[in-house]
Amino acid sequence: MREMKIGAARPRAWTRLPSGLRLDLINPSSEDWLDSDLAIRLSRTYRWGGESAWTEPLSVAQHCLTVLALRREWSNSPLTPEEALHELLHDAEEGFIGFDCISPLKGVLGQPFKDVSDRLMSAICTRYDLPAWRPDIHLIHKRADLIAAASEAVHCAGWTHHEVRDVLGIMHPILVVDPLVKIYDCAPWSPWPSNLAAERFLGELSFLLKLRCEEESHQNTNFTYGCS
């Protein structure tokens, strides 16, 4: 194996974004994308390998909105903007990778894939000023995430109830009612076209960033990213 020359450039893996900006997937900077880039990329990244019982595949953007809707339904009090942003952005790195990797495959792909994913998520958390998950909140999030996954598997991807349990190994409840229906007046469990998923994701992201700024301004604290 040849030795790397001293002063040689670090390896880079550029991806072009819808705005025309570019992001290095190996060494990402938190300032290298627009909010609209993230929304569009997530709307074009698909769950279940792109398999769908509908005309459209289910996007990661729509999945993130489903998890957020479940968390809001279950909470006895309104989620804080920070809590809601955690839910909305919990799979955000997948939009830049362009791949929703299922958990069993992550183990096969190994540490290099995890390192890339973790660095992207770290840049996202820096950009949107998100601290580490509180353990108790993360447990509630994982329940919402897995219930959403079980429900999507049946209603969106076409797996049977039996297969969800015995093949996918997901033991969480499978919902009948789509939590997005009462928010967006959409057809139950119908995957949205990518442009609509991007619009709705970006609308929620913009709303939460503005809400957080308003609350912090009211508390006489420093403004955070996204305040205008």
Side-chain angles (χ1 to χ4, degrees):
M1 180 182 295
R2 292 186 302 172
E3 293 183 359
M4 182 177 290
K5 294 181 179 180
I6 296 176
R10 293 186 302 175
R12 293 186 178 275
W14 294 109
T15 184
R16 184 176 174 83
L17 301 174
S19 65
L21 295 173
R22 65 177 184 263
L23 175 69
D24 179 9
L25 298 176
I26 298 175
N27 299 292
S29 166
S30 62
E31 300 301 322
D32 280 354
W33 70 87
L34 304 181
D35 294 342
S36 58
D37 288 326
L38 179 58
I40 293 170
R41 289 295 292 259
L42 284 170
S43 76
R44 296 174 179 174
T45 303
Y46 299 119
R47 302 268 293 170
W48 309 104
E51 183 58 38
S52 179
W54 302 75
T55 302
E56 301 279 351
L58 179 70
S59 70
V60 175
Q62 186 172 347
H63 164 75
C64 290
L65 287 166
T66 298
V67 174
L68 173 58
L70 289 175
R71 284 284 286 112
R72 282 171 166 161
E73 278 189 6
W74 298 346
S75 181
N76 292 327
S77 58
L79 298 183
T80 66
E82 180 181 289
E83 290 171 336
L85 283 167
H86 259 307
E87 301 299 339
L88 185 66
L89 297 171
H90 76 272
D91 281 337
E93 84 284 0
E94 294 174 0
F96 293 137
I97 296 173
F99 175 38
D100 174 21
C101 187
I102 58 176
S103 295
L105 184 57
K106 289 179 182 178
V108 175
L109 294 176
Q111 192 63 41
F113 180 84
K114 183 178 186 302
D115 289 344
V116 169
S117 180
D118 287 350
R119 283 195 292 268
L120 284 165
M121 183 52 79
S122 178
I124 289 162
C125 289
T126 298
R127 167 68 171 262
Y128 297 108
D129 197 21
L130 293 178
W133 285 93
R134 276 177 37 193
D136 57 331
I137 297 297
H138 191 251
L139 284 175
I140 301 172
H141 157 72
K142 288 304 296 181
R143 181 170 180 266
D145 196 23
L146 288 169
I147 288 176
S151 306
E152 293 163 357
V154 170
H155 300 299
C156 301
W159 294 90
T160 66
H161 285 65
H162 168 78
E163 289 172 326
V164 170
R165 301 288 186 262
D166 297 342
V167 178
L168 300 181
I170 304 175
M171 301 302 171
H172 287 69
I174 296 169
L175 301 176
V176 174
V177 177
D178 180 354
L180 297 179
V181 169
K182 65 182 180 182
I183 301 171
Y184 297 104
D185 192 27
C186 53
W189 303 109
S190 174
W192 302 333
S194 60
N195 62 332
L196 184 58
E199 177 186 316
R200 289 171 171 171
F201 183 95
L202 181 59
E204 186 65 46
L205 177 59
S206 299
F207 167 76
L208 291 174
L209 292 173
K210 181 178 180 181
L211 181 62
R212 183 173 63 182
C213 284
E214 289 173 350
E215 290 191 1
E216 292 180 346
S217 177
H218 182 69
Q219 296 167 2
N220 295 318
T221 61
N222 292 328
F223 282 16
T224 58
Y225 174 82
C227 192
S228 60

